Amino acid sequence: MQAQEIKQRLQSLVQEASIIDPNLAKRLGEINRWVKNVKPGLLTAKPFLSLFLLQIILDADAWLKFKTLASADEQQAAINALNPTVRYWYSDLFPKWLSEHDPKFYIWKQKLMAGEFSHQDQNLIKSIAHNINQRNAGIVQRYIADLSMATDIIISSQQEKPLCIQLTSLADEYSQQKVDDWKMSLRFWGVERGLFLSYNPNVDDFVNRIVNISLHNSDHLHNGIYLKFNV
């Protein structure tokens, strides 16, 4: 989807949502006002902003399809048919983000627009996602989860309840404040359990280790536990 198409689709989704879901319409309206004066060429030059907009368009489109089903039972059945990670996103975290005040929204909108957001873990997450998919487990990555909910990836293996994971290569002695902020964010959004995974990219086979630890904790970490783990 080209930059001009992104802007046009966002505007049309605002109109659709205004009839179907006021919370979605409000969020999309905020985003539309934020980018409406950005010229297509400048939008193309801001890849992470464009990717965020594509994600929100896809999520909004899916959400409206759920909401336009004839009954609440049909809506729930459609969501239940999704794999656990995607289901968790649409049944829990995404609607919370639509309905709740997001204290970080104003901050990260500025960073995305200024080009200050550089998703340094992007290639790592692609490798993790490939590994997880090969093991027939599920993974979801959303910029909203990353920027607002301190969650780089959401995964699930054998247990239905997915696990929210924050990845960092920050040295252990510098990570305590980030851990404290991470716990606060998860609690704010009602995330019942989480894994803060600090990794050393110089360790042999560290991607496979990350995946093993993540999937193990996805299956075994109890609710109410926010675990910090070093790889």
Side-chain angles (χ1 to χ4, degrees), residues 120-121 123-125 127-128 131 135 167-169 197-214 230-231:
Q120 296 178 348
D121 293 333
N123 290 332
L124 171 63
I125 289 173
S127 297
I128 291 171
N131 195 315
R135 302 192 195 193
L167 300 165
T168 183
S169 58
L197 211 162
S198 181
Y199 65 91
N200 182 348
N202 297 316
V203 171
D204 290 341
D205 202 25
F206 78 98
V207 171
N208 200 47
R209 293 188 185 196
I210 288 173
V211 172
N212 288 339
I213 292 164
S214 299
N230 295 328
V231 176

Side-chain angles (χ1 to χ4, degrees), residues 18-180:
S18 66
I19 302 169
I20 299 166
D21 188 320
N23 288 331
L24 178 61
K26 181 180 178 181
R27 278 288 190 218
L28 292 178
E30 290 175 322
I31 293 167
N32 184 53
R33 289 190 295 274
W34 171 50
V35 300
K36 70 177 182 179
N37 293 323
V38 179
K39 296 185 183 300
L42 186 57
L43 187 58
T44 301
K46 297 178 183 288
F48 292 112
L49 176 57
S50 296
L51 287 170
F52 163 74
L53 292 174
L54 284 171
Q55 282 190 355
I56 196 69
I57 285 169
L58 290 171
D59 279 339
D61 189 60
W63 186 249
L64 289 171
K65 285 182 170 63
F66 293 136
K67 300 293 281 187
T68 52
L69 291 172
S71 68
D73 286 343
E74 286 181 322
Q75 292 173 22
Q76 193 58 53
I79 289 176
N80 288 344
L82 302 170
N83 74 55
T85 46
V86 181
R87 184 192 315 144
Y88 181 56
W89 177 247
Y90 285 121
S91 67
D92 198 309
L93 296 183
F94 186 62
K96 280 182 182 175
W97 186 73
L98 294 179
S99 62
E100 300 290 336
H101 169 68
D102 180 356
K104 298 181 182 178
F105 191 32
Y106 176 74
I107 298 169
W108 60 253
K109 280 197 304 180
Q110 287 184 318
K111 289 186 176 181
L112 272 177
M113 187 62 74
E116 295 174 3
F117 175 69
S118 57
H119 200 187
Q120 296 178 348
D121 293 333
Q122 186 177 29
N123 290 332
L124 171 63
I125 289 173
K126 285 181 180 179
S127 297
I128 291 171
H130 178 71
N131 195 315
I132 285 177
N133 288 328
Q134 284 189 318
R135 302 192 195 193
N136 295 318
I139 182 169
V140 161
Q141 183 272 328
R142 291 291 192 277
Y143 288 115
I144 293 169
D146 181 6
L147 297 165
S148 291
M149 303 172 182
T151 295
D152 288 302
I153 54 175
I154 305 165
I155 71 164
S156 65
S157 181
Q158 297 177 26
Q159 186 180 138
E160 283 285 295
K161 186 72 170 180
L163 178 65
C164 291
I165 300 173
Q166 170 86 82
L167 300 165
T168 183
S169 58
L170 194 65
D172 195 53
E173 60 266 29
Y174 302 116
S175 67
Q176 189 55 51
Q177 185 59 54
K178 190 169 183 178
V179 171
D180 293 342

Side-chain angles (χ1 to χ4, degrees), residues 178-195:
K178 190 169 183 178
V179 171
D180 293 342
D181 293 343
W182 164 73
K183 288 180 181 178
M184 188 179 300
S185 291
L186 293 192
R187 289 179 177 131
F188 178 86
W189 291 106
V191 176
E192 295 178 339
R193 61 191 190 130
L195 178 65

